[in-house]
Amino acid sequence: QLQLVESGGGLVQPGGSLRLSCLASSFSLDNYAIGWFRQAPGKEREGVSCISSSGGKTNYADSVKGRFTVSRDIAKKMVYLQMNSLKPEDTAVYYCAAHGTGPMPVCFDTPAVYRYWGQGTQVTVSS
């Protein structure tokens, strides 16, 4: 059973930064695209960013382009989401998810594509 564990959420002031981490403890990132999603109260889950199994392809939602950066450390089995210049509208529960693609330069921003999900971590941006 694939397991994903997010960490790094918290309370931050507008303009601040946080780095979320996603530990993929039971599988190799070489064969799975990883997506970051978020869900605010009363809203649908939306794609934030993703990184391909090859690591060479990344995507970002328009709302976070230039502020968020996704990266990974294969050896540590970790995927990171660096979030800078945070805004109150970034407040949500953030999830990482995995989709088995094999070693391909693709990733996806649609939640339904992803089979495996972490438990989520709360990010609150407020003064």
Side-chain angles (χ1 to χ4, degrees):
Q1 181 71 17
L2 273 67
Q3 289 189 322
L4 297 163
V5 180
E6 302 97 335
S7 61
L11 173 64
V12 63
Q13 292 186 342
S17 298
L18 282 175
R19 187 178 78 160
L20 304 184
S21 300
C22 174
L23 174 62
S25 60
S26 58
F27 62 97
S28 173
L29 291 172
D30 289 338
N31 291 309
Y32 287 81
I34 301 296
W36 282 100
F37 297 84
R38 66 187 181 187
Q39 188 165 20
K43 294 188 177 181
E44 292 186 356
R45 191 167 296 188
E46 64 172 349
V48 175
S49 182
C50 64
I51 185 166
S52 66
S53 58
S54 66
K57 174 69 174 178
T58 58
N59 283 334
Y60 297 92
D62 288 342
S63 59
V64 306
K65 280 180 181 176
R67 300 189 298 123
F68 290 13
T69 303
V70 63
S71 62
R72 66 180 193 171
D73 186 325
I74 292 290
K76 295 182 178 179
K77 292 181 173 285
M78 296 287 279
V79 179
Y80 304 102
L81 185 68
Q82 178 66 44
M83 306 186 297
N84 299 328
S85 302
L86 283 162
K87 306 175 181 180
E89 51 263 43
D90 294 318
T91 295
V93 178
Y94 283 70
Y95 302 88
C96 63
H99 172 58
T101 64
M104 294 179 66
V106 293
C107 67
F108 311 93
D109 61 4
T110 304
V113 170
Y114 292 82
R115 178 177 180 182
Y116 305 100
W117 291 81
Q119 82 288 351
T121 185
Q122 177 70 47
V123 171
T124 302
V125 184
S126 175
S127 56

